[in-house]
Amino acid sequence: MAFPRWNVAGFAWIAPGMILLAGSGCTSRTRFRLGYTAGVVHALAGLHWLLYMPVDFFPILGWISLCAYLGLYCASWAWLCWRLFPGETPPSTDSPHLSFRFESGQETTWAQRSTWALFCALAWVAGETVQSHLFTGFPWNLLGASHSSLLLLTQIAAFTGVSGVSFLIVWGSVALWLTASEIAKAPSKRLAWQRELAVPMTAVFLVAAYGWKQLHATSAADQELRVALVQPSIPQTMIWDENASSQRLSKLFELSRGAMTEKPDLLVWPEAALPYPIRFEAELYLGLTRLLTNTSTWMVFGSDDISLTPVTAPVQATNYYNSAFLLSPTGELAAHYAKRQLVIFGEYVPLVKWLPFLRWFTPITGGFSAGEERVSFEIPPRRLRFSPLICFEDMFARVVRDQAQEDCQFLLNITNDGWFGESAQQWQHTTSAAFRAIENGIPLVRCSNNGITCWVDARGRLFGSEFESGISPYGEGVKHFTVPLHHAPKESWTFYRKHGEVFSWSCTLLVMTIGLPVWIRSRRHPAAGLNPPTLT
């Protein structure tokens, strides 16, 4: 419930500690099962919007399979944390009932408990790091993303990425439940909470102080960009219907002609806006150029692209790309970008050449090829450079950072979230924009088919998520924004933009160093793993 659309961020500070608390007094196997249950239930609730896809059978299969996979991370975390609890001696058989208090074979010191709480936070970050990279990665609803609107804490992402916020939450959560346990064991120790919470709460205070400083720092913009973002709210079933292509285009052009009356510097259409590959549709291309005739407006739009291998190539092939194009006021296709991070089982089927039966488990009949190059778009008259992102590429911090390595002044994400109707998916997707902007220290503008169209400044502040006219945030319309831009020399880039995921991979390496021997020992000698080395 910490994630959109419930947005009760405080639950994130309770859940990790509760997962560990539920495993108190149980065997390692039971703790794994409890963690797995918690992880699956969280994933099922948070990803229920997968069932909104207008396809029979496949959404249910994908929803259950994905959630079953994601549950393994929470299960592994709960198992490993309890394995390393200082002085822990679990019973040899499953307990007949759950004991809701921390139990250990011997008394523990404050230093041991504090070190253990810190390790739990490191292990959570390690799990999220693996989840974000393994099998192309699925960095959706990471714990820190639940705090996208708590700007005092999220500014730490400029150094650590979203992992830093996840780290603080888990550290504080485990410390909170250790505090409750100590008070329960000795009610007379009324100041126990100060001792247990001192270090993590000091860290939270320092992060918040840094966040306050960043949010109140001011700098004059080098220039302003007037953007018009078209949100056509085209149902996914219409996108698939070739007979509805003319109706779909009419809506886009009608909204765009209204947008052009404001004389924007940049007009943006969302992902997959055009029903045909623009390079092979002369009439459609002519219509776009007429839209910009006698203006100084540039345009970005989403369209499929087709590439044919040279005739001299040993094997002839046709590659299809999910692409974004930059169109100049003179009608020139000035640049194009092919999406690099494709949706597994949505835009391609892995290993399909060797395992053709995998197509039976996905509704797609074809597939896209992944782009191979980092690309930035440039508007020379304005001396302006920006980097495009397509679909859920903005969920992948590493992809966004790579796109931001060019000397760009803002990021532009075009997406089609119409697959999922009017659901929490659009809002969960939008939370990523806040972190990508903070991590790279530059604004991010997003144009979506049916929401959430908006822009985010370099501090993660969200602007324009609702229509001023009272239209549903999922409805059709045009949003006009004036985005202040800064030219940041490389030496002033954020730590994350310069160095990437140093924090998250350092946590992962440290946890592997500590946890891998415990896992190996538990596999070779199950009983030996019951008394691991004490963390001090």
Side-chain angles (χ1 to χ4, degrees), residues 168-186:
L168 283 178
I169 295 171
V170 177
W171 191 12
S173 178
V174 176
L176 178 65
W177 289 105
L178 283 171
T179 300
S181 174
E182 289 301 300
I183 293 176
K185 287 192 297 185

Side-chain angles (χ1 to χ4, degrees), residues 144-168:
S146 64
H147 282 46
S148 62
S149 60
L150 299 182
L151 300 178
L152 287 177
L153 297 183
T154 58
Q155 303 310 306
I156 193 65
F159 294 93
T160 65
V162 66
S163 297
V165 183
S166 297
F167 178 89
L168 283 178

Side-chain angles (χ1 to χ4, degrees), residues 230-277:
V230 177
Q231 181 173 300
S233 192
I234 301 170
Q236 189 62 34
T237 50
M238 180 183 289
I239 292 178
W240 290 334
D241 186 359
E242 294 185 2
N243 297 324
S245 295
S246 59
Q247 179 183 352
R248 174 180 164 190
L249 284 171
S250 295
K251 179 186 290 190
L252 281 163
F253 277 102
E254 179 184 356
L255 291 170
S256 299
R257 282 189 286 268
M260 292 297 288
T261 61
E262 299 290 330
K263 298 181 179 180
D265 300 314
L266 182 65
L267 175 69
V268 183
W269 285 4
E271 176 195 14
L274 299 184
Y276 313 111

